Structure formats: C-alpha cells, structure tokens
Amino acid sequence: MKCFTVCFALLFIVAGCYPGANEGGLLSRSQVLKLNPDADLIELENNEVYTHGAEWVKEKGYQKGERLGKVKKGMATKSPVGADIYTTEEKSPVIIVEYNGLSKMYVIAMGE
C-alpha cells in the first residue's frame, strides 16, 4: 500500500509539471517564452497568448474577420506597436496581425 501511495503521489507531481497544467492546456506568456525564448508571440488583453510559426495555419487559408484592436506596448515580442489585430471569418484558434503590408497568422498557445 505504501508503494501505491508513493507512486500515486509521484504521478500527481509529474502531471502538474507540464506546460498548461491546470489551465485547460492554454499556455501563459512565461510558459511560451520558457519553451522558446525567441518566440514570436502576442498576448491579448484577456491574457490569451498566440504564437506565430505553425505551418498548418498557412494551409487553412483563413480569411480576415472582425478587427480586435491594435498591438500595444508590451503585448508582442516581434510585431510592432500599432499593428492591427483581427479574428478570422471562420471559427478558429487563429488571429491575423497586419502591419507594413505584411499579414501574419498566430495560433493560440496550447500545452500538450
């Protein structure tokens, strides 16, 4: 019984250590940067973090939807202040950021 208790406690501790634990799989800004210090990310005012670079996003062909706002100081690691942020027309975990004629797609940061 003691062995079972120790194994269960160890499993409980390990399960709580993965990124996104107890957060429904959503990663925080600090978790994303811990995994990739050079991440291209945007943190919205509701604390949702989106990252750029997922290849599958380009293949989906998402269309720009409703404007969410502009990038403010401290929101993004690579996108400039003033860049426009949009939802997609399709229901998706993606936002679109536009600036200087460039359009970049960001997907919500999720743990495994």
Side-chain angles (χ1 to χ4, degrees):
M1 182 67 178
K2 186 177 181 179
C3 181
F4 175 75
T5 305
V6 171
C7 288
F8 182 74
L10 195 58
L11 179 63
F12 185 73
I13 291 168
V14 171
C17 293
Y18 70 90
N22 301 321
E23 299 177 32
L26 296 178
L27 297 179
S28 68
R29 179 186 189 105
S30 62
Q31 289 172 318
V32 170
L33 291 173
K34 184 176 180 180
L35 293 169
N36 179 6
D38 195 40
D40 182 357
L41 66 80
I42 292 181
E43 182 178 16
L44 299 182
E45 292 176 351
N46 64 3
N47 295 325
E48 289 180 340
V49 177
Y50 291 78
T51 60
H52 175 71
E55 290 298 318
W56 66 266
V57 174
K58 296 175 188 173
E59 297 169 4
K60 293 289 184 178
Y62 291 117
Q63 299 299 310
K64 182 172 64 173
E66 180 181 326
R67 186 173 174 273
L68 291 174
K70 291 188 175 281
V71 172
K72 297 177 185 168
K73 185 177 181 180
M75 282 178 78
T77 56
K78 309 250 182 195
S79 294
V81 171
D84 291 310
I85 306 170
Y86 298 91
T87 62
T88 59
E89 284 186 359
E90 308 80 9
K91 184 175 178 172
S92 72
V94 174
I95 59 171
I96 298 172
V97 177
E98 291 185 339
Y99 60 93
N100 297 333
L102 181 65
S103 181
K104 294 171 71 175
M105 293 186 198
Y106 289 74
V107 65
I108 196 156
M110 298 283 290
E112 295 181 11

